[in-house]
Structure formats: structure tokens, C-alpha cells
Amino acid sequence: MAAAGTCGTGTRSTGSVVAAASTNNVTSFHRRGPRASGADSGCSRLVSIAGTRPSVRNGQLLVSTGLPALDQLLGGGLAVGTVLLIEEDKYNIYSPLLFKYFLAEGIVSGHALLVASAKEDPADILQKLPAPLIDDSYKKECDEDVCSHKTESDVKMKIAWRYQLLPKMEAGPVSSSRFGHYYDISKRIPQQLIETSKWHGFFLPEKISSTFNVEPCSLTSGYMKLLQFIQNIIYEEGFDGSNPQKKQKNILRIGIQNLGSPLWGDDICCTENCDTSHSLTKFLYILRGLLRTSLSACIITMPTHLIQNKAVIARVTNLSDTVVGLESFIGSEKETNPLYKDYHGLIHIRQIPRLNNLIYDISDVKDLAFKLKKKLFTIEYTLRSYGIRGQKYLLSGHLRKFAVKKKPYLRRLQTLKNIY
Amino acid sequence: VTPSEGVRRGSGRILAMLESLLALGGLVLLRDSVEWEGRSLLKALVKKSALCGEQVHVLGCEVSEEEFREGFDSSINSRLVYHDLFRDPLSWSKPGKVLPGGPLEALKALDKRTGSGPVTIALDSLSWLLHHLPCPTLCQTLHALSHQDSCPGDTPPGEQVRVLGLLHEELHGLGPLGALSSLAQTEVTLSGTMGQASAHILYQRPRQRPTHQTQWFSILPDFSLKLQAEPLLESQPRSDPHTPSVDPTTHLTFNLHLSKKEREAKDNLTLPFQFSSEKQQALLRPGLGQATSHIFYEPDAYDDLDQEDPDDDLDV
């Protein structure tokens, strides 16, 4: 499905052509551009929003997901106006971490936050965000790991030596700390950072009325209220350009936790053929419409392992832009697999959007695993555990990129020449 | 593990199992089946929390009040506050002692009561409630019930609300079971072999990895718990570590092992794309001023470096 729209770039000129025709000009045809707008500085405003940067590939405005490794996997970051869907792992241990990273990144970059949950009070969620790391302490953590892995990697990279550079997924703390920060999970975010940030909370048990009527309308009442809340915030705070903001333009980061679980009033996890089966898909459709017309980015965690009807999962994936699935090894047979002994789970990049593009930006290596260390959540390729045989197998799929078979072709032609 | 060792280990934990089930707070899900019933475990937990001096509320839907109170002595019975939905679930009789409004109102009434101190609420059973209420509504109500403390952060263990729910897992599909399991902080699945009941307990502490353990137990007539040792499985011998594992490579007609010399020879073999380390470094880190990509070609032994273009011979 072609991605429509330009994700709320905000370069719509404020004046119409007729209005811009000043008396000096002969014709009324003016180039619509940043010059036509009035006091605003024009498209240079885009880059000057804190915590964002344009994509190097297609110029899309990106925000960081809070985890620089994930940013790299998604092609630089999460595009403004899109939805990042996280498929929760079975016991919901690791997906809240990604959720918290996203929100913490918003606070550190100075974005506005909107946190919606049916399980936990948003104020509590904000209290538990991880603390941002200063550059030096992260480097120390990184070096410790590099030393422990160095001896192994030298031995093993005999055949797949071109992959030596590959496992270094996190390129270290970005020198200019404007895009992508590192966080320490063991510490909580300082209170003053939360207080200086602008956040809105939506806690479903408070908002929903005491009557538990199942309304006959197509959207569950919880979803309807959430959509209205988001729409109000976007309109009032001016994220869609409707009320011209006096201050600098800012990004709204929306985080919705456990969407689709029974706590939202949706029985998509309870039965296979439910009456409100289209409620979730309609919600996502309307939400994406809201996001496309405003400067916002959204993260949603969804317990897809509980959804009974697999067709719904496929629809939900199609309606989201970026989909990342987490699979933890707890309780599964992969826990004892020696290949995965260093890791806590696998991370699957299920979908990446093609925004104003014809091709995807994802890397070819698909074996990604994550590990929750004491302070950090890291994503790595599982390449290190491969033996020589595994490296050969990996290489055979990639050989077309590296080998130049010039000579054997010529030799065959040579033989032909000799015969004739 | 000899039986006596097991019992000795178990006796140190006789109280620990019930306490650990009650300690975590929140929703404790007891999944039972036709063969291994869970009501006696539920009553054992109710008795334990009553003995600890807590308020206990019981919402009875499946069995009558007399049957539920049977087996408890008077001190415990005086602590139990019984809300009866069994006698008149649809409230057909005139208002008297009956709870109006059906099960949902009964649950919400439990939610609203202002009690101080730790409270245990026993729901007998969740299966009955699932059949009378839509699943999302029940989940929302249970969540509100088990998270009654409005103060954020860690509450002192004495102030917790515990909801014990009995669920007959054969009556429901995977959907409601999964939904309720995701809500529960502790999940106990009852099973057993050869007449001995066992409980597989899964603890889901917040922000920590879930832990599980299996306990063999039996419930005495006065609803106190007795831990048992694991029964020796005679019918199914597990893999015996004493028998030596058979090496499948011993009697083959071809050789799968490498001797030391062979291994050295293999390591010394230069593979076709294994370049010298300088060249590797040069390829990995392109030097300055290399705007275009280069093709590095190392001829192997059979190549002749003939520079003439074979396309010259073509008559095109």
C-alpha cells in the first residue's frame, strides 16, 4: 500500500497564491515555497526541531526510538507521523523496556509526551523511566564488553572476516547528543526532568464511565475515548499546524501500552470470532490518519501472542508502519540451545515502511538477538556464535556481493576461441 | 532424592508454599481440572490468610455456603465474609439478603468496600463468572480489584489485596485462559501422577523474569497443606545418566575424526577468499582518496593472465 502524504512536514505555505500576490508583481503566479509564508522561517524549521534529523536516504524527518541500535535497524530512526508496533514477548518483560526507552528519549529531547495505558497509571510509568547516560560512563560499559568479546571474535572470523565490522552495532555515543541517547535501566530518571517535560496521561479506568455497557457502535468505548483524547491534544497543542504555535514546533510522542488486551475492553484476545473484531483495526486506521497530519510519532505495544485470530494479526501488521517483534527465550526450548546462550531473546523486524521510496532500508542479516544486561538493552547479531561451517553458509548467500568472477568467464571464452 | 530427604526438605517449606503464593499479592490464579480439583487448595489458602488475621471475603457461585464453610473451625468461619451468589444468582427472590444486580455488581461491591489492612478475596469460581460476564469486563474488574491501592510505588506487604481465583481450565478455550494468565501475578496449575497432586507455580514478579517451581502436596481434612516428596516414577524410567552414551561415530566405514596432523594441515590451508591480513584491512577500511571501488584479483595456480579481449574475435 503506497504511503500517502508527506508525514506532516509542515512546509505548507500559509498564504494562498492570490494573497501572496503583492502589488509589485505583474502576475499572480507565485512559486509556493517557504518565501511565500510570512514571518516563519520556512523549511529550515524542520531541522531545527530538537531531537529530530532528516533521513539521509529519503529526507524523511526522523526521531530516535531511544535505542540507537534499533534506530540503525530501522534505517536511521522512526519517521515522524508513523506508528511503531512492538509485538510483546510472552511474559511482557522486554517490551516495556522499549516503550520506556521511547518515552525517555522524548523527555531528554524535549518532546511532548502522551502516555496511554489501561494497566498502569501514566504518572507511575513516567517515574520508572531509565536515566540518561553521560557519554563517559557508556564508553566504559562498551569497552568492558569489547574486551571480553575480542579474543573470541579473532579466532572465529577466519572465513567471514568481512563481517568483523558488522557486530559493532552501536557506534558508540553520538558526539553531538542531539539524536539518540543511551540510558541506564538500573537508575530512574531524575525527577526534575519529568517535571520540566510536558506530558499528558490517559489512564483508561479513570476515563471510562462506571457503566460497563457494551455499546453497539463499532469502536470499543475505550478506543473511542483514546482517539478523542489524542485528537484534542493534537489540536489544542498545535501539533497539526492548526493553531500556529508561538513557540518552536515540537514533536508529540504518543505511547500506548498493551493495546488490544482485555483491559482496554477489547475481546480480540479472548475469542476467535468476536463481535468487535474490527474495533482494533479501525482504531489503528484512524490513529494513523491522525498521525499523518501532525508532527507526532507513536509507539504501541500489543500482546499479539494472545490474539486468537491470526488474520487480525496480519491486518494489524499491515495497518502499522514499522513492526518489531520480540520473542523471549523464557520457557521455550530455545533457552537451552547453546547458540542462544548469551542472549535473552530474538528480535524480529517484521515490517519497515516504504515512505516516499520504492525500496526498503533494512539490512540483509536477519539473525538479531537481544540481551538485557544490568544497565543496558543491547541488540546484536547472533553471528558470533557461528562456527566455521556457519560462516561459510552465511557467506554463500552473500557471495554475489563480494566476488568478482572475471577470469573464469574469460577462460571459457578462451577455450572456445581455441577450438574454433 | 530419597523420600526422607525430600520430606525433610519439604517440611522446612510446609508453610512456605502457601505463604509464597499469598506473598506476591495481586491475582492468584488456580487452574484445576476434573481430575485434580482446586477447591481444597483454595480453602487451604483462605484458611491460611484467615489465620494470619486478614479480612477474607468469599464470593461463592458454585457451591453453597454451607458446603464452603464445611471443614473450617469456628474461628475461621467467623472471619469469613461470604457473599452468596449460588442461592439466587439472577435475584428472582425479593430483596433480602440477596445481592442485587448480579455478579458484576457483586464484584464491584467488593471493590468499593473500604477496608483497612490486608484483604484476601476468594472467587469461587472464575469459570462461573466467565460464563456470565464478557471476558474483557471481567478482566477489567479483576484488574481494578487487585490493584486497589492507589498509592504508587511499592506498598508495604501488609497492605496488599489478594484475589484468589479458581478457574476450571477445561471449560474455557485458549483465549480466556491466556487473557487471565497475563493478568495474574501467580499462576498455579494443578496436576499430578499416580494419585499424588502437584502444583506447578509460576511467579510473575513485576519487572523480573518469571520463575516457576513444582511442588507435590496433599491437603489434609482440616485444610492444611502437607508437602510431599516427588514420587518415584517407576513406570517411566527417565534417561539414566549411568549408562554410557553410545558414540555413533565408532563403527562407521568412513572417518569422521581428524587426527592432530590432519587438523594442522587443514588449518594451514589457504582458502580462496582468505586474503592476507593487510589486504583484509585494506578492504575493510578503504583508504583516503579512494573514491571508486577497486577490484582486487589474486590469480590462483591455473590462471593464465591473457589480456586480450576475446570479444575481439566476434564477428559482430
Side-chain angles (χ1 to χ4, degrees):
Chain A
M1 168 171 144
T6 48
C7 296
T9 48
T11 49
R12 50 178 92 90
S13 60
T14 50
S16 66
V17 176
V18 174
S22 56
T23 49
N24 308 348
N25 295 336
V26 177
T27 70
S28 58
F29 286 98
H30 274 271
R31 190 149 58 110
R32 272 172 176 255
R35 274 178 276 131
S37 44
D40 300 323
S41 49
C43 65
S44 60
R45 261 185 304 159
L46 274 183
V47 188
S48 65
I49 304 179
T52 65
R53 71 168 178 205
S55 163
V56 294
R57 288 178 178 87
N58 50 15
Q60 208 68 250
L61 192 65
L62 299 176
V63 293
S64 169
T65 55
L67 203 60
L70 189 62
D71 284 343
Q72 216 171 342
L73 288 171
L74 299 181
L78 183 67
V80 168
T82 61
V83 172
L84 170 63
L85 180 75
I86 309 271
E87 296 184 353
E88 290 176 7
D89 51 306
K90 192 168 169 207
Y91 296 107
N92 199 19
I93 306 172
Y94 302 109
S95 44
L97 283 176
L98 293 184
F99 190 76
K100 284 180 199 165
Y101 274 125
F102 187 81
L103 295 177
E105 181 68 30
I107 288 188
V108 170
S109 310
H111 298 158
L113 293 185
L114 198 162
V115 185
S117 171
K119 205 183 227 190
E120 247 183 296
D121 197 350
D124 294 342
I125 298 177
L126 285 178
Q127 293 295 321
K128 292 181 196 155
L129 293 182
L133 268 181
I134 326 163
D135 287 344
D136 301 333
S137 45
Y138 177 75
K139 234 183 201 331
K140 229 188 323 173
E141 294 263 346
C142 231
D143 289 340
E144 286 168 13
D145 287 330
V146 164
C147 293
S148 62
H149 281 300
K150 209 186 284 190
T151 48
E152 302 171 20
S153 62
D154 287 347
V155 171
K156 289 191 177 160
M157 292 296 171
K158 205 172 104 164
I159 294 181
W161 50 269
R162 284 182 200 267
Y163 285 93
Q164 270 171 35
L165 292 181
L166 205 53
K168 292 183 197 160
M169 279 217 65
E170 287 128 273
V174 182
S175 56
S176 67
S177 53
R178 277 173 44 209
F179 194 87
H181 300 85
Y182 291 86
Y183 298 93
D184 185 354
I185 309 174
S186 55
K187 298 201 186 88
R188 295 220 173 147
I189 198 166
Q191 189 66 26
Q192 63 263 26
L193 272 180
I194 303 178
E195 281 162 12
T196 52
S197 69
K198 186 104 172 57
W199 64 273
H200 311 273
F202 181 93
F203 186 40
L204 187 67
E206 285 170 8
K207 302 278 181 175
I208 208 158
S209 59
S210 56
T211 56
F212 279 92
N213 298 330
V214 180
E215 289 157 15
C217 77
S218 51
L219 264 184
T220 321
S221 59
Y223 293 159
M224 181 71 87
K225 288 203 158 51
L226 178 58
L227 282 173
Q228 285 166 350
F229 183 76
I230 294 177
Q231 192 178 28
N232 282 342
I233 298 287
I234 289 179
Y235 179 71
E236 282 164 18
E237 306 284 326
F239 291 107
D240 57 353
S242 54
N243 297 339
Q245 281 179 300
K246 300 174 190 64
K247 303 179 297 231
Q248 187 121 25
K249 278 212 169 191
N250 205 355
I251 305 273
L252 174 68
R253 284 188 186 230
I254 305 176
I256 308 177
Q257 213 179 27
N258 294 122
L259 193 68
S261 78
L263 292 174
W264 282 97
D266 196 359
D267 60 347
I268 218 166
C269 292
C270 305
T271 66
E272 202 167 320
N273 302 318
C274 47
D275 298 329
T276 58
S277 59
H278 295 294
S279 184
L280 181 63
T281 43
K282 278 192 186 174
F283 172 85
L284 284 175
Y285 188 73
I286 299 174
L287 176 71
R288 211 165 62 159
L290 281 176
L291 291 179
R292 290 285 200 266
T293 54
S294 62
L295 280 175
S296 45
C298 182
I299 187 171
I300 301 180
T301 65
M302 189 179 289
T304 47
H305 57 95
L306 290 179
I307 294 181
Q308 297 300 304
N309 191 355
K310 303 302 169 197
V312 171
I313 301 179
R315 281 179 216 147
V316 160
T317 306
N318 285 337
L319 283 169
S320 318
D321 298 300
T322 315
V323 182
V324 171
L326 293 175
E327 178 195 339
S328 76
F329 294 148
I330 301 170
S332 78
E333 69 275 3
K334 289 182 185 156
E335 206 168 3
T336 47
N337 191 340
L339 189 68
Y340 296 131
K341 67 173 160 52
D342 290 329
Y343 303 104
H344 291 133
L346 297 177
I347 184 164
H348 306 281
I349 312 279
R350 303 218 197 266
Q351 183 175 274
I352 291 208
R354 282 182 298 179
L355 299 165
N356 305 333
N357 237 0
L358 285 176
I359 57 170
Y360 295 98
D361 281 334
I362 46 177
S363 66
D364 283 345
V365 182
K366 301 263 194 274
D367 305 311
L368 296 160
F370 63 85
K371 186 167 29 172
L372 179 62
K373 295 189 257 198
K374 198 167 51 129
K375 292 187 177 182
L376 294 169
F377 182 92
T378 53
I379 303 178
E380 288 174 14
Y381 297 109
T382 53
L383 186 62
R384 289 178 190 276
S385 343
Y386 285 173
I388 295 284
R389 234 180 317 138
Q391 291 178 32
K392 278 187 191 166
Y393 174 72
L394 196 68
L395 266 190
S396 63
H398 295 258
L399 215 48
R400 50 179 157 72
K401 279 194 205 163
F402 299 140
V404 180
K405 287 184 181 304
K406 184 180 172 205
K407 219 40 187 178
Y409 166 66
L410 292 175
R411 196 160 15 117
R412 233 178 288 131
L413 278 187
Q414 193 88 1
T415 332
L416 277 174
K417 187 179 92 166
N418 289 341
I419 290 173
Y420 285 100
Chain B
V1 176
T2 63
S4 58
E5 251 180 34
V7 167
R8 222 178 304 132
R9 226 184 284 161
S11 60
R13 299 179 308 190
I14 277 177
L15 296 175
M17 173 173 158
L18 291 177
E19 275 171 357
S20 59
L21 284 176
L22 294 172
L24 212 54
L27 177 65
V28 179
L29 200 65
L30 305 173
R31 293 163 61 141
D32 70 346
S33 54
V34 164
E35 297 165 345
W36 306 102
E37 59 94 24
R39 187 164 287 115
S40 37
L41 181 61
L42 179 71
K43 286 166 84 165
L45 286 167
V46 162
K47 175 180 169 180
K48 177 87 176 95
S49 34
L51 284 176
C52 289
E54 299 171 2
Q55 293 182 42
V56 182
H57 294 257
V58 180
L59 185 70
C61 318
E62 277 187 359
V63 294
S64 62
E65 185 173 349
E66 295 81 22
E67 194 181 331
F68 193 87
R69 286 185 186 270
E70 193 184 321
F72 289 145
D73 54 1
S74 54
S75 65
I76 299 175
N77 269 326
S78 58
R79 286 240 164 86
L80 277 186
V81 179
Y82 199 86
H83 308 267
D84 194 2
L85 273 180
F86 174 76
R87 190 203 296 258
D88 192 3
L90 298 174
S91 21
W92 283 341
S93 62
K94 285 295 164 198
K97 291 194 296 183
V98 194
L99 294 162
L104 191 55
E105 295 300 320
L107 278 176
K108 286 197 277 187
L110 279 175
D111 191 9
K112 284 192 186 72
R113 72 186 159 71
T114 52
S116 59
V119 180
T120 301
I121 301 174
L123 300 173
D124 179 13
S125 64
L126 279 176
S127 295
W128 193 93
L129 290 171
L130 263 179
H131 283 136
H132 287 76
L133 293 173
C135 185
T137 315
L138 180 63
C139 289
Q140 282 172 328
T141 320
L142 278 179
H143 185 253
L145 206 59
S146 49
H147 284 79
Q148 266 192 350
D149 42 354
S150 51
C151 44
D154 307 306
T155 53
E159 298 294 319
Q160 281 174 342
V161 176
R162 247 161 260 124
V163 181
L164 312 171
L166 184 64
L167 189 67
H168 308 301
E169 58 182 3
E170 292 155 329
L171 296 178
H172 306 285
L174 287 174
L177 287 179
L180 286 173
S181 300
S182 66
L183 275 184
Q185 269 73 46
T186 317
E187 192 181 326
V188 182
T189 309
L190 294 170
S191 60
T193 57
M194 299 190 313
Q196 191 63 265
S198 74
H200 181 249
I201 310 171
L202 183 74
Y203 297 101
Q204 293 193 39
R205 291 181 186 85
R207 301 187 297 279
Q208 285 181 33
R209 292 165 59 96
T211 53
H212 54 91
Q213 61 174 150
T214 308
Q215 297 263 20
W216 298 82
F217 68 99
S218 62
I219 306 234
L220 305 172
D222 67 342
F223 296 108
S224 54
L225 194 83
K226 179 169 173 232
L227 288 179
Q228 306 279 347
E230 196 170 332
L232 304 165
L233 298 168
E234 286 151 5
S235 51
Q236 293 171 21
R238 265 176 272 148
S239 60
D240 196 350
H242 297 301
T243 57
S245 54
V246 180
D247 186 14
T249 60
T250 40
H251 298 294
L252 294 171
T253 53
F254 45 89
N255 185 22
L256 277 182
H257 299 286
L258 291 174
S259 71
K260 191 157 179 280
K261 254 178 32 177
E262 287 168 352
R263 192 176 295 275
E264 275 173 21
K266 180 185 168 202
D267 285 339
N268 288 337
L269 180 69
T270 313
L271 298 168
F273 289 99
Q274 189 183 358
F275 303 131
S276 57
S277 68
E278 294 85 19
K279 192 159 164 196
Q280 283 181 11
Q281 295 307 315
L283 284 170
L284 286 174
R285 290 177 183 82
L288 303 166
Q290 266 188 344
T292 61
S293 57
H294 289 240
I295 297 171
F296 294 95
Y297 181 67
E298 274 183 357
D300 44 50
Y302 308 103
D303 267 331
D304 53 336
L305 291 160
D306 192 355
Q307 291 302 325
E308 59 177 64
D309 193 355
D311 287 338
D312 292 343
D313 287 2
L314 294 174
D315 261 352
V316 180

